[in-house]
Amino acid sequence: MFDTLAFAQDILSQKGRLSEALGLPSSNHQHLTAIVAYQHLIDNWVEDGAIAPTHQTVLAALDIALLLTVTGQLIYHTSPGPVGEIMINLRNGDKSVELLAYPSGRNKFVRIGSDETPQQGLLTPESLRETLQWLNR
């Protein structure tokens, strides 16, 4: 079986040359690198009882971030969370999206717009497509 994290580490070590060659957002490089690094966190990583992301959670977040990168969507921020989740934040003007990869595999999205009621739900290919369309219009 192919080790996706090892592959990502190899690609990301090329310091953006791949992004430039493929015309992908080079600013996403640091966020992809951060997600790969989350695999090295241990429980209680911020000394307040936070749970470290599992291997599967890191892979799920990396899959989402790579998909965003390939489609040209800029990633604003990434962060591990207290219950082992990984958050990928996207922004456009007054709109913000959080894509959350959880250890349980039940990934979620949260959409926040200044003139709208926040929306959240299960992250599926369809909801991701709709969320990106909402963010970028």
Side-chain angles (χ1 to χ4, degrees), residues 28-46:
N28 283 11
H29 184 272
Q30 69 183 1
H31 302 298
L32 291 165
T33 302
I35 292 169
V36 170
Y38 299 154
Q39 71 180 309
H40 302 294
L41 292 175
I42 58 171
D43 285 345
N44 201 31
W45 53 272
V46 288

Side-chain angles (χ1 to χ4, degrees), residues 3-6 8-9 12 31-42 51-66 78-81 84-88 100-105 107:
D3 186 343
T4 306
L5 284 174
Q9 287 173 318
L12 295 172
H31 302 298
L32 291 165
T33 302
I35 292 169
V36 170
Y38 299 154
Q39 71 180 309
H40 302 294
L41 292 175
I42 58 171
I51 299 169
T54 65
H55 182 80
Q56 286 307 114
T57 305
V58 173
L59 285 176
L62 185 60
D63 286 348
I64 294 166
L66 287 169
T78 65
S79 176
E85 78 276 22
I86 296 175
M87 183 269 306
I88 299 170
L100 300 149
Y102 283 95
S104 66
N107 302 330

Side-chain angles (χ1 to χ4, degrees), residues 24-132:
L24 303 175
S26 60
S27 60
N28 283 11
H29 184 272
Q30 69 183 1
H31 302 298
L32 291 165
T33 302
I35 292 169
V36 170
Y38 299 154
Q39 71 180 309
H40 302 294
L41 292 175
I42 58 171
D43 285 345
N44 201 31
W45 53 272
V46 288
E47 299 180 9
D48 67 353
I51 299 169
T54 65
H55 182 80
Q56 286 307 114
T57 305
V58 173
L59 285 176
L62 185 60
D63 286 348
I64 294 166
L66 287 169
L67 178 62
L68 294 169
T69 300
V70 168
T71 60
Q73 181 65 54
L74 295 176
I75 297 171
Y76 181 78
H77 180 69
T78 65
S79 176
V83 296
E85 78 276 22
I86 296 175
M87 183 269 306
I88 299 170
N89 183 248
L90 313 173
R91 296 196 182 173
N92 188 4
D94 63 351
K95 295 178 182 178
S96 178
V97 170
E98 292 181 2
L99 304 174
L100 300 149
Y102 283 95
S104 66
R106 292 186 49 88
N107 302 330
K108 297 182 179 181
F109 72 89
V110 179
R111 296 184 215 167
I112 303 166
S114 65
D115 297 333
E116 303 174 39
T117 302
Q119 285 191 301
Q120 62 182 337
L122 192 60
L123 185 61
T124 64
E126 181 65 21
S127 68
L128 179 59
R129 184 184 64 74
E130 291 171 0
T131 296
L132 293 177

